[in-house]
Amino acid sequence: MEYIALEKNYRFENNDEMLLLEKNIRENAKRPINPSIKKDSNVNFKLYKNQIEEAFGIVKKIRELQSKNINCKIAILVKQRGPNVNLILEALKYKDIKFFFGLFTDEDQRYIRFHETCLNKFYSIFIEKNRNLSKKNIEFYLNEIKKEYNDVSDAMNNSLFKLLHSFLEKIVNEFKGLQNSDKYRIIMDTFMNKSLRQNLDILDDNVIVTTVHGAKGLEWDYVILPDMEKNQFPNYHGLCNRNNCIFGDYCIFSVNETNEVEFLEELSVFYVAVTRAKKEVFFTASQRSFVSEDFQPETNISCLLRLPGINIKQTNETVSV
C-alpha cells in the first residue's frame, strides 16, 4: 500500500484562524511528546469567577452573535452532563434564549427505546399497510408515537419528537425522486442504527446544547466550549486522575510513553469539539467548579488549552446576573 498525505484542508480554506488551530491540534496528535509547531493559534477564551457567571457569560456571547446575524447556528458542546451544565440550561431559560435540548447519547436507554418504538410503529403503519409517506400519514404516525408517551412530557422527550418530525420532513422534501421502498429503507435504517441524533444540524433551532460525542459529523457556524477546566474537560476519569499532571497556576499534562494512549483519546474528543465550528470557536471556564451550593472548589484552566501551539487570549470577565 502507498501512503498519501493530504496537504490541504478545504473545510477551513478561507478561515485562517480555524485552519491553524485545527492543524496545531493534529500536530499534537502526530507527535504527542514533541509536536512540530510553526506558529501558535490564538484562541478566544474567557475566564469567569464562578460557574454562574460563566453561564450568563455564555448567554451574553449568544446574544452578541445573534445581534450580528439572527439566523446564525450556535452549538454549546459539553463533555458530559453535570451541575455546571444545569446552570447553563437555567441561564438560557432565565434569559429567554430558546434552545434545543440534545443532551442524550447513543447509550441512553430512553434514546434507544424511542428508536425501537419508532421502528415498530413505522413497520405496522407503513410497511404492513403499504402506505405512502404523505403528510397526512406522517401526521397520523407521529400522533401514534405520541400516544406511547402520554404520561411523559419533559425536555428529552420533546426534543426526540422534534428530531423525529424534522427527520421525516427531510426524507419527504429532499428525497422526492426516490421510490417509497427506498425511503422506507432510509427511515428504518435510521431507527435500527439509533441514529436520529445525526440530524441535529437540520433542526430550525438556532441554539443547540449537546455533548461533544453527540456532535460528531455535524457542524454549526459557532461553537461554545464551556467548562474548560480540570476534572471537566478533560474529566477526572480521562486524564486528571493521573499522577504526572503538574499543578500550579494552571495545568500542564506531561505526555510520555505510559500515558500517550489516554492523552490521544482525550485529544481526539477535543479535536471533534473544536472542529464542529465553521467560523469560530469560543472557550470559557471559571475559577470555581460548581458541585453544590455549599461546595464550589477552586479549579485550574484545562491542560488542553495549554497544548503546544495553542495560545489563549485570556480575558477575565465579570457578568451581572
Side-chain angles (χ1 to χ4, degrees):
M1 297 178 68
E2 181 182 357
Y3 176 78
I4 301 175
L6 303 181
E7 299 294 337
K8 190 169 184 178
N9 185 328
Y10 289 92
R11 185 177 180 197
F12 300 121
E13 184 179 9
N14 300 314
N15 190 332
D16 292 339
E17 286 300 321
M18 285 298 300
L19 187 62
L20 181 59
L21 178 58
E22 187 266 353
K23 179 181 179 181
N24 286 353
I25 296 175
R26 282 193 294 108
E27 288 298 330
N28 277 274
K30 284 182 184 178
R31 301 174 59 185
I33 296 176
N34 187 24
S36 176
I37 303 295
K38 296 180 180 179
K39 181 182 178 182
D40 284 351
S41 171
N42 296 316
V43 301
N44 193 314
F45 171 72
K46 289 188 177 179
L47 180 65
Y48 298 87
K49 288 182 179 180
N50 54 55
Q51 293 289 342
I52 295 177
E53 286 199 10
E54 182 182 355
F56 282 93
I58 289 170
V59 169
K60 181 180 177 183
K61 173 54 68 176
I62 291 172
R63 284 184 167 168
E64 287 176 3
L65 294 172
Q66 291 182 335
S67 68
K68 298 174 184 177
N69 180 3
I70 190 64
N71 295 317
C72 69
K73 300 293 185 178
I74 304 167
I76 303 172
L77 303 184
V78 301
K79 187 72 182 295
Q80 68 269 313
R81 290 291 307 266
N84 295 349
V85 181
N86 292 337
L87 291 176
I88 295 173
L89 299 178
E90 290 173 11
L92 291 171
K93 293 174 184 176
Y94 183 76
K95 292 295 185 178
D96 199 27
I97 300 289
K98 295 182 179 179
F99 65 94
F100 180 86
F101 178 90
L103 293 172
F104 39 83
T105 67
D106 293 341
E107 292 77 28
D108 193 306
Q109 289 303 308
R110 290 174 63 188
Y111 179 76
I112 293 172
R113 284 197 297 272
F114 186 81
H115 282 80
E116 292 171 349
T117 301
C118 290
L119 178 62
N120 292 334
K121 286 290 182 182
F122 188 83
Y123 190 84
S124 63
I125 292 174
F126 286 96
I127 304 299
E128 289 185 343
K129 298 181 180 179
N130 196 27
R131 285 176 168 162
N132 291 324
L133 284 169
S134 65
K135 290 184 178 180
K136 182 179 179 180
N137 288 336
I138 288 176
E139 184 177 348
F140 173 75
Y141 169 73
L142 291 171
N143 286 332
E144 290 299 300
I145 297 291
K146 288 180 179 179
K147 288 179 183 178
E148 298 290 325
Y149 294 88
N150 276 339
D151 298 332
V152 183
S153 179
D154 58 12
M156 183 171 176
N157 273 348
N158 292 339
S159 291
L160 289 172
F161 285 128
K162 186 167 188 177
L163 198 53
L164 174 63
H165 186 266
S166 297
F167 167 66
L168 293 176
E169 278 193 339
K170 173 186 174 182
I171 297 298
V172 171
N173 296 329
E174 295 186 15
F175 298 95
K176 293 179 180 179
L178 293 182
Q179 298 290 330
N180 266 335
S181 58
D182 293 324
K183 295 177 186 177
Y184 291 161
R185 186 162 53 250
I186 294 172
I187 293 170
M188 293 184 70
D189 283 347
T190 298
F191 294 153
M192 286 188 288
N193 292 314
K194 316 293 188 295
S195 55
L196 270 176
R197 192 167 44 77
Q198 291 303 309
N199 294 279
L200 283 173
D201 56 349
I202 69 171
L203 296 168
D204 55 9
D205 299 79
N206 291 331
V207 179
I208 289 180
V209 184
T210 187
T211 61
V212 177
H213 179 73
K216 283 183 178 180
L218 307 177
E219 291 180 313
W220 294 270
D221 294 321
Y222 301 100
V223 165
I224 299 173
L225 295 180
D227 296 334
M228 293 303 301
E229 306 145 14
K230 179 185 73 171
N231 294 326
Q232 298 295 331
F233 201 155
N235 60 23
Y236 179 80
H237 298 290
L239 293 178
C240 294
N241 64 337
R242 306 198 174 269
N243 295 326
N244 47 12
C245 292
I246 304 169
F247 302 113
D249 292 333
Y250 50 79
C251 299
I252 299 177
F253 188 78
S254 178
V255 185
N256 55 50
E257 292 180 357
T258 62
N259 61 31
E260 186 174 324
V261 173
E262 291 84 358
F263 170 76
L264 289 175
E265 288 176 355
E266 288 296 316
L267 187 65
S268 175
V269 177
F270 183 59
Y271 178 84
V272 168
V274 168
T275 55
R276 298 311 91 201
K278 295 179 183 178
K279 298 180 179 179
E280 193 171 0
V281 58
F282 303 94
F283 302 90
T284 67
S286 59
Q287 295 172 342
R288 290 185 175 276
S289 181
F290 188 92
V291 179
S292 67
E293 290 287 349
D294 301 322
F295 185 48
Q296 299 180 38
E298 291 186 4
T299 188
N300 295 323
I301 297 171
S302 169
C303 61
L304 294 172
L305 290 180
R306 301 292 184 179
L307 290 173
I310 295 181
N311 178 41
I312 54 175
K313 299 184 292 185
Q314 181 174 328
T315 303
N316 293 355
E317 184 162 306
T318 301
V319 178
S320 57
V321 178

